[in-house]
Amino acid sequence: MTITQPDMSVFTTLESEVRSYCRGWPTIFDRARGSRMYDEDGRTYLDFFAGAGSLNYGHNNPVLKRALLDYLERDGVTHGLDMSTTAKRAFLETFRGTVLHPRGLDYKVMFPGPTGTNAVEAALKLARKVKGRESIVSFTNAFHGMSLGALAVTGNAFKRAGAGIPLVHGTPMPFDDYLDGRTPDFIWFERLLGDAGSGLNKPAAVIVETVQGEGGINVARPEWLRGLADLCKRHDMLLIVDDIQMGCGRTGAFFSFEEAGIVPDIVTLSKSISGYGLPMSLALFSPELDIWEPGEHNGTFRGNNPAFVTAAAALDTYWSDGGMEKQTLARGEQVETALRQLAAEHTGAAYRGRGLVWGLTFEDPERATAVCRRAFELGLLVETSGPQSEVVKLLPALTVTPEELDEGLRTLTRAVRETD
């Protein structure tokens, strides 16, 4: 097939060099529905990236779109700072009734700003305020955002270097299986905490992803997470789970930590919490941690009321029973079966994941980039992750059909074979 190159001149001449995703997908997208995107020439792409996990219910989900259009057509409040609005009330009531109470969670809800990194900054600030300590422990290959506090607990050297200043008060520890199972879990962390000569200031908190998405689809075992929660409790450290990409059902359950049976002190949510790709984030925390003074942490765009509307509709539609979780786990088994076969066919390939987040890894980092490039040419959108971009990352919408999933996996298989 001959693909006509679109006129990208306005992007290349006017937009900053910092742009990234568009370089891997050199076309001009025009519309999207469900798991499909269409460029301005009408070419169809199957989307296995889903807005980096922001579109768990697909593009322009019709149920959510109807709720949004109805709200806008009646002149519902669009921008509300942190004022009380009917849209916010409906979201809070739905979130409490659909997510928190069924799981026995007694969290307070904070709206820290529109993005995930806003939620992380709020979580770190609150942990330091509560404990009166500065140090935060994070993990190797972690990613928590691009603002300075979040970068200080992020592992990727390239992203950290963009800060331009020293990133302080963050200490990395080995993530699960970072040392290939050669040492007991937390032996280094525990030793540093117990040694007055270690040089580790007592941390206020530990921040962790249950599955490291940007770090390469590194999956923490439930027993490792339980051990971490116990360690935090014994040493008077708060446990923060960053569920920005892996929450909202990405791993099966609404929260990715549910499988481990732990209850974090603080949880950050963003990406798919709005359900429609609209900017929105939450910081959830135990009531006794809510020691904020009014206005002590604020922001102009905390009250994105259209996002509250679509978020409430998403919870009502997909989380009023256990159907979404069961469907996601079934779709995950479908992906795992295909990736197992694919990895067996190609030397140096392996796979890992949970629910509907999966990674196909290659010993040669350039191979993953080549696979993603060929997949795009074949009409499939996938991206790389990992410290060397050595992982092909699969994040299909949770609403993807079995047929669409098969189609995408067949395309991926072809892309791998054609770059062998």
Side-chain angles (χ1 to χ4, degrees):
M1 177 186 297
T2 301
I3 300 176
T4 303
Q5 292 300 314
D7 180 6
M8 311 290 284
S9 60
V10 69
F11 306 106
T12 57
T13 60
L14 189 59
E15 191 178 359
S16 166
E17 292 298 320
V18 78
R19 64 193 188 281
S20 61
Y21 294 122
C22 58
R23 298 179 188 273
W25 302 329
T27 192
I28 300 175
F29 293 103
D30 178 57
R31 60 190 180 91
R33 177 71 178 264
S35 290
R36 308 276 180 181
M37 298 190 73
Y38 306 87
D39 68 18
E40 62 180 354
D41 294 322
R43 188 161 186 252
T44 304
Y45 298 84
L46 186 56
D47 184 5
F48 272 24
F49 190 59
S54 295
L55 297 164
N56 280 4
Y57 314 107
H59 294 270
N60 285 303
N61 182 292
V63 177
L64 311 189
K65 181 167 66 173
R66 184 71 264 159
L68 177 60
L69 290 175
D70 288 347
Y71 183 77
L72 295 176
E73 285 171 353
R74 71 169 185 80
D75 292 332
V77 173
T78 299
H79 181 274
L81 295 167
D82 72 351
M83 293 183 287
S84 300
T85 65
T86 55
K88 184 194 284 188
R89 179 178 63 197
F91 168 73
L92 286 170
E93 289 175 347
T94 304
F95 189 72
R96 178 177 59 192
T98 306
V99 175
L100 296 181
H101 279 184
R103 292 162 179 80
L105 299 173
D106 187 29
Y107 288 136
K108 297 292 288 291
V109 179
M110 176 181 178
F111 300 98
T115 73
T117 199
N118 294 130
V120 169
E121 295 288 352
L124 299 180
K125 183 190 289 188
L126 180 60
R128 288 169 168 140
K129 179 179 173 66
V130 168
K131 292 300 183 184
R133 310 177 206 135
E134 297 174 345
S135 178
I136 304 288
V137 164
S138 57
F139 291 93
T140 50
N141 290 313
F143 178 78
H144 296 290
M146 299 298 281
S147 51
L148 292 180
L151 278 177
V153 291
T154 286
N156 187 283
F158 174 74
K159 292 180 171 66
R160 289 174 61 89
I165 61 171
L167 296 169
V168 297
H169 308 309
T171 302
M173 291 292 166
F175 191 71
D176 191 13
D177 203 37
Y178 184 74
L179 299 173
D180 301 320
R182 290 175 294 182
T183 61
D185 295 338
F186 309 113
I187 188 170
W188 174 241
F189 194 178
E190 190 99 54
R191 179 65 183 271
L192 292 181
L193 288 169
D195 183 358
S198 70
L200 174 66
N201 294 330
K202 186 169 185 178
V206 174
I207 185 167
V208 67
E209 304 154 274
T210 65
V211 181
Q212 295 181 326
E214 294 301 309
I217 318 300
N218 305 311
V219 181
R221 293 166 296 140
E223 56 267 33
W224 186 86
L225 292 168
R226 287 191 289 270
L228 177 62
D230 177 67
L231 181 69
C232 288
K233 185 175 182 179
R234 286 188 286 107
H235 289 276
D236 188 33
M237 303 178 295
L238 297 179
L239 176 61
I240 305 170
V241 168
D242 181 340
D243 233 5
I244 287 166
Q245 188 169 80
M246 298 305 153
C248 301
R250 176 54 57 181
T251 64
F254 186 85
F255 294 110
S256 70
F257 55 80
E258 291 182 52
E259 181 189 21
I262 62 173
V263 179
D265 299 292
I266 304 175
V267 180
T268 60
L269 288 175
S270 186
K271 291 195 181 286
S272 278
I273 187 59
S274 82
Y276 202 73
L278 298 175
M280 178 180 174
S281 72
L282 306 177
L284 312 175
F285 39 82
S286 303
E288 63 271 17
L289 304 181
D290 192 13
I291 62 172
W292 293 112
E293 295 291 334
E296 188 175 8
H297 187 95
N298 59 19
T300 304
F301 293 100
R302 289 172 295 157
N304 186 357
N305 282 257
F308 298 155
V309 170
T310 54
L315 295 176
D316 274 333
T317 304
Y318 295 105
W319 293 100
S320 58
D321 58 28
M324 175 57 74
E325 180 175 353
K326 292 177 183 176
Q327 175 177 298
T328 298
L329 295 175
R331 301 284 193 274
E333 291 176 1
Q334 189 177 346
V335 176
E336 184 176 14
T337 298
L339 293 186
R340 182 187 303 116
Q341 182 176 343
L342 188 55
E345 293 176 1
H346 298 271
T347 303
Y351 68 95
R352 52 184 179 251
R354 276 180 64 195
L356 272 176
V357 51
W358 290 88
L360 182 65
T361 72
F362 294 94
E363 291 180 356
D364 177 6
E366 295 182 4
R367 181 77 182 283
T369 300
V371 168
C372 290
R373 185 184 305 116
R374 182 58 182 147
F376 170 77
E377 294 169 353
L378 296 171
L380 176 68
L381 303 180
V382 286
E383 254 292 349
T384 61
S385 71
Q388 296 179 293
S389 297
E390 74 278 16
V391 182
V392 177
K393 181 180 183 182
L394 279 64
L395 283 174
L398 307 186
T399 53
V400 66
T401 66
E403 295 76 20
E404 289 170 333
L405 209 48
D406 276 339
E407 177 188 340
L409 292 167
R410 287 196 306 269
T411 303
L412 177 64
T413 298
R414 180 180 169 187
V416 173
R417 289 172 179 167
E418 293 182 1
T419 55
D420 208 345

